[in-house]
Amino acid sequence: MDTYGVGCVALGEAGPVGSMTVVDSPGQEVLNQLDVKASSEMTNAEASIEMSLPTPLPEFEDSPDKKRFPLEQESLSILEQQDLSSEMSKVSKPRASKPGRKRGGRTRKGPKRPQQPNPPPAPLVPGLLDQSNPLSTPMPKKRGRKSKAELLLLKLSKGLDQPESPPPKRPPEDFEAPPGERPRRRAAQVALLYLQELAEELSTALPAPVSCPESSKLSSPTKLKKSQADADPQGGGGEDDTAQDEDFVLQVEAEDEEESEIPSESSSDPEPAVLAVPQVPAVSAVPQVPAVPEVSAVPAVPAVPRSAPRGSTSGKQKPHCRGVAPNGLPNHIMAPVWKCFHLTKDLREQKHSYWEFAEWIPLAWKWHLLSEIEAAPYLPQEEKSPLFSVQREGLPEDGTLYRINRFSSITAHPERWDVSFFTGGPLWALEWCPVPEGATASQYVALFSSPDMNETHSLSQLHSGPGLLQLWGLGTLQQESCPDNRAHFVYGIACDNGCIWDLKFCPSGAWELPSTPRKDPLLPRLGLLALACSDGKVLLFSLPHPEALLAQQLPDAMKPAIYKVECVATLQVGSVQASDPSECGQCLSLAWMPTRPHHHLAAGYYNGMVVFWNLPTNSPLQQIRLSDGSLKLYPFQCFPAHDQAVRNLQWCKANSHFLVSAGSDRKIKFWDLRRPYEPINSIKRFLSTELAWLLPYNGVTVAQDNCYASYGLCGIHYIDAGYLGFKAYFTAPRKGTVWSLSGSDWLGTIAAGDISGELIAAILPDMALNPINVKRPVERRFPIYKADLIPYQDDPEDQDHYSASSGAPNPPKARTYAETVSHHYLLFQDTDLGSFHDLLRREPMLRMQEREGHSQLCLDRLQLEAIHKVRFSPNLDSYGWLVSGGQSGLVRIHFVRGLTSPLGHRMQLESQAQFNAMF
């Protein structure tokens, strides 16, 4: 369609607006004045009609007469405006187009207004224009507009004396608009230029930008053309708009979903491991066995600015996690694990210290070695473990049955590195001893086992009696080699405070080198340990290094070494004038302040009180020094947190002002300790057994008892603290009660043990994003081992048909330990944790999924296979090691080798170099 055709179509669309006054033989000056006046009153809707006009004559471009208005012409225009305003009031407003309407906006839906057929336009040539009557043909006027037809004809009349010339194309860079016209693409061009500059700035912060495949079909131009086609259905200038904006289209590959595993087309590898995560290295193909990487292989990625919106990420900053990691898991699952390494390392450098509580040094004369007769009441009654066998995935079954003595262990497996030892009684408290990063020292765990296998405790009353706190040495647990020596019993502490429900070490600043020179009777300190006892007291011990302590005793002393120790401090509720331990009941949980200087210790009691002590206080109202030199401390703050017993406490590791508590009233409460009169958030869901607050996230992972859980919802849940407002994330379903839960800050992974004897681990997604978008959560969890109670059978092939926890036809009915072990043995089925290739099709994974949906529990017997406590190692040197134990008294140690990475090994080497330089 030529330019004149476009102009005639526009005239045909205009409706009449009243009468028009025609001036005979108007002069050129009057025409120019009308042109300027009409062009100044054009609206944005009028500018939407696309026209291409010839270039105006040179003598009319800069005429000074355009700025002068004769008096009679000015009065005429005023009269016309009055007539037009009276006519406009008669026109219905919905049919008038809005002057502020932008180009390309959505058109009003509904039936179109019928248009009158337009007469064929006559050719506009100089001979057809009569100077006496320039508007000889009556022109229709558009309703609601002012003399638009006049304006168009006057513009056409200017170019009649000139030959036709192609319309000049405006360069894309020229954003200047002629007088009376609106720039057509100025907003879109400026916006696209800004986005392109922003993308270039963000791309410089990423070390490995994602390569774009060379393809002409890009998502951005396609969407742009589609939107332009919708905005301009008549096709007026749509092609020119696309061609004009081609320079401003961002040449960026379409953003893939987080869970996509399709490799990039431009990559030559079949399964590339491309990663662009803040503070996460770009991992390339590396061998399965961790090796020391070069600096170029694992580049350091600068942190993304913290101005990103809360709970979301920009499209340009979203990581492209494609392919499969070397351990067999998809990269989008392993990306949060690699991110946790940097976050944990950085925060521990800020929040941890190397030395605290310098006045609490172990004294040799306070450690009294007991004789065999004196130690007998404190020892567990069972001298031999129940029979057990271990089946390891991928290895031939030897069918060996093991029975080990009390305080003994079996050698680590040469291929899987798992270790087992027997404590003598059911395990109810377990904790790793913290070691500074880079120390490369022996690892220790402290635990408590009940003296009797059939012992039960009432929580409503205080209980006291003999018990034994055990300290076990595990050796230097490395990532590259099997442990050289067995787990060994180091020494025990005899206590008369009943059952120990919880253990907590000081998070940092309490460990020193075993070779630290100390004057006699001072001993080098291993750590500070707090015990939550069933008599309502909290005991604080300063533990020495075993080498220094055992060097003080005689060579013919009793083995194992059992000591009677005076604690450095006893923490009680009440005050100096009124101290009644029975008022609050048993102490069930502890939490040590995770940030330096670690001066505060929190405890949860049976009556729902949460109590806080200031450990280095000098106030006479909170501290009393006894005759033996020990201290008795009273709390400086306490408040009723729950209506019933406080089952677990967890401190926020990033900010010590925040605490979370779980009670028997089925509530989980988040507290701001600066205003403890009201919780920040209170959630009532189910009966919680244990919590885990991982470092990178502002929420807790909760293990629950199945007594109040809805059908299908029993298991492990992640609950947001309320800051982001996310819904609960169902981490893993479980059929029975989950007794224990532990999280690793280094791996972003939680482990849980339940009543059925199954220990599983689950890799949490990035909880800074909404977990409702997480797909296929089954790929994020895997079993570590499963314990089954198997009856003795003559035919070994029939043993699996009588598994007690898999719905056996003849489950055991024994209610005591002696009856159970006389007819049954334990079978541990271990998963190969060195690699996760083809995980969903492997037998342990299929068995776990089957038990999650169809397993049956028999609660009319002693649950000998139940797992009561699980703990991930908090130390960098042994971050992949996991210890667990339960009703049988057997404690097992496993190494989750598949979750380790060269990044963790590099951090270990850097920390070792830093530690050696300081000490």
Side-chain angles (χ1 to χ4, degrees), residues 702-908:
V702 186
Q704 65 173 348
D705 197 324
N706 61 350
C707 59
Y708 294 108
S710 302
Y711 180 77
L713 295 179
C714 178
I716 307 167
H717 299 257
Y718 174 85
I719 299 178
D720 183 72
Y723 179 71
L724 297 177
F726 295 155
K727 293 184 178 180
Y729 170 65
F730 197 12
T731 306
R734 298 282 88 195
K735 275 297 181 181
T737 298
V738 182
W739 283 116
S740 182
L741 183 71
S742 177
S744 174
D745 294 329
W746 299 104
L747 300 176
T749 305
I750 57 101
D754 57 19
I755 193 175
S756 65
E758 188 169 20
L759 177 63
I760 68 166
I763 304 173
L764 293 179
D766 189 357
M767 290 303 177
L769 306 177
N770 197 339
I772 197 174
N773 300 322
V774 176
K775 302 177 182 178
R776 299 185 296 274
V778 69
E779 296 181 358
R780 298 180 176 271
R781 61 179 182 268
F782 53 89
I784 296 178
Y785 71 85
K786 176 67 174 70
D788 287 323
L789 194 61
I790 308 297
Y792 295 128
Q793 296 290 334
D794 296 336
D795 188 3
E797 296 180 358
D798 297 336
Q799 294 178 0
D800 293 338
H801 299 285
Y802 293 92
S803 177
S805 59
S806 60
N810 298 320
K813 298 295 184 180
R815 296 179 179 270
T816 63
Y817 174 79
E819 295 176 357
T820 303
V821 298
S822 61
H823 298 90
H824 304 84
Y825 71 95
L826 288 172
L827 175 63
F828 296 101
Q829 303 177 50
D830 291 7
T831 306
D832 183 9
L833 302 175
S835 173
F836 300 106
H837 289 280
D838 201 17
L839 179 63
L840 297 179
R841 297 183 179 89
R842 287 159 59 173
E843 194 272 336
M845 192 71 178
L846 297 176
R847 182 178 63 246
M848 182 193 72
Q849 297 179 11
E850 181 181 0
R851 294 177 188 274
E852 289 175 351
H854 304 91
S855 65
Q856 298 179 2
L857 295 176
C858 181
L859 302 179
D860 295 335
R861 62 175 178 87
L862 178 66
Q863 302 291 332
L864 191 61
E865 72 275 18
I867 300 175
H868 292 165
K869 284 298 175 182
V870 179
R871 288 294 180 266
F872 261 114
S873 174
N875 305 321
L876 177 60
D877 295 334
S878 57
Y879 68 89
W881 291 85
L882 179 70
V883 60
S884 60
Q887 178 67 34
S888 63
L890 291 170
V891 178
R892 307 198 66 206
I893 306 171
H894 291 81
F895 179 43
V896 191
R897 193 186 313 175
L899 294 184
T900 59
S901 63
L903 173 61
H905 184 67
R906 189 191 69 178
M907 283 190 174
Q908 289 178 346

Side-chain angles (χ1 to χ4, degrees), residues 678-721:
E678 182 182 8
I680 299 175
N681 194 8
S682 179
I683 304 170
K684 184 175 182 179
R685 293 175 60 90
F686 33 66
L687 185 59
S688 304
T689 56
E690 197 165 8
L691 308 174
W693 196 335
L694 295 186
L695 181 60
Y697 311 127
N698 55 352
V700 294
T701 310
V702 186
Q704 65 173 348
D705 197 324
N706 61 350
C707 59
Y708 294 108
S710 302
Y711 180 77
L713 295 179
C714 178
I716 307 167
H717 299 257
Y718 174 85
I719 299 178
D720 183 72

Side-chain angles (χ1 to χ4, degrees), residues 240-477:
D240 296 338
D241 298 343
T242 306
Q244 187 177 3
D245 293 340
E246 282 182 355
D247 295 338
F248 302 97
V249 175
L250 302 180
Q251 303 294 329
V252 179
E253 187 179 0
E255 195 174 85
D256 298 337
E257 290 189 4
E258 179 183 356
E259 306 296 331
S260 176
E261 301 177 23
I262 302 176
S264 176
E265 297 177 2
S266 61
S267 177
S268 59
D269 298 333
E271 292 181 352
V274 181
L275 182 66
V277 183
Q279 298 183 351
V280 180
V283 179
S284 58
V286 295
Q288 179 178 351
V289 179
V292 181
E294 297 183 1
V295 178
S296 59
V298 187
V301 183
V304 176
R306 300 181 182 271
S307 59
R310 181 179 66 185
S312 62
T313 55
S314 176
K316 300 297 181 292
Q317 299 177 6
K318 184 176 181 180
H320 294 258
C321 303
R322 302 176 177 177
V324 179
N327 61 356
L329 293 176
N331 273 337
H332 69 266
I333 295 180
M334 291 299 298
V337 177
W338 298 325
K339 180 181 178 180
C340 288
F341 277 106
H342 292 280
L343 293 176
T344 305
K345 184 70 165 57
D346 295 341
L347 187 133
R348 290 199 175 188
E349 291 178 354
Q350 301 173 8
K351 304 295 184 179
H352 284 193
S353 62
Y354 283 101
W355 189 246
E356 297 291 343
F357 304 103
E359 67 278 5
W360 288 344
I361 304 298
L363 298 174
W365 59 269
K366 287 188 176 183
W367 288 72
H368 175 63
L369 181 63
L370 300 181
S371 63
E372 185 175 355
I373 299 177
E374 294 174 340
Y378 299 96
L379 297 179
Q381 297 180 2
E382 296 299 327
E383 297 183 357
K384 292 186 179 295
S385 70
L387 286 174
F388 67 96
S389 178
V390 181
Q391 293 181 0
R392 299 174 177 88
E393 181 192 9
L395 297 180
E397 301 179 6
D398 54 0
T400 304
L401 291 177
Y402 299 92
R403 187 192 295 271
I404 56 180
N405 296 327
R406 182 179 57 193
F407 305 145
S408 300
S409 66
I410 59 176
T411 309
H413 193 270
E415 296 185 24
R416 301 297 169 79
W417 304 358
D418 58 283
V419 181
S420 301
F421 58 89
F422 182 56
T423 62
L427 185 71
W428 286 108
L430 179 66
E431 194 69 24
W432 287 78
C433 179
V435 177
E437 286 78 14
T440 63
S442 297
Q443 306 291 321
Y444 295 92
V445 292
L447 56 92
F448 173 79
S449 293
S450 296
D452 189 2
M453 283 288 187
N454 301 315
E455 185 178 7
T456 58
H457 301 279
S458 175
L459 296 180
S460 60
Q461 298 178 358
L462 297 180
H463 173 263
S464 61
L468 182 65
L469 176 67
Q470 304 177 25
L471 185 68
W472 286 76
L474 308 180
T476 55
L477 301 178

Side-chain angles (χ1 to χ4, degrees), residues 356-357 434 504-510 527-530 592-593 597-598:
E356 297 291 343
F357 304 103
K504 284 296 182 292
F505 275 96
C506 181
S508 68
L528 292 175
L529 179 62
W592 206 308
M593 183 177 178
H598 313 294

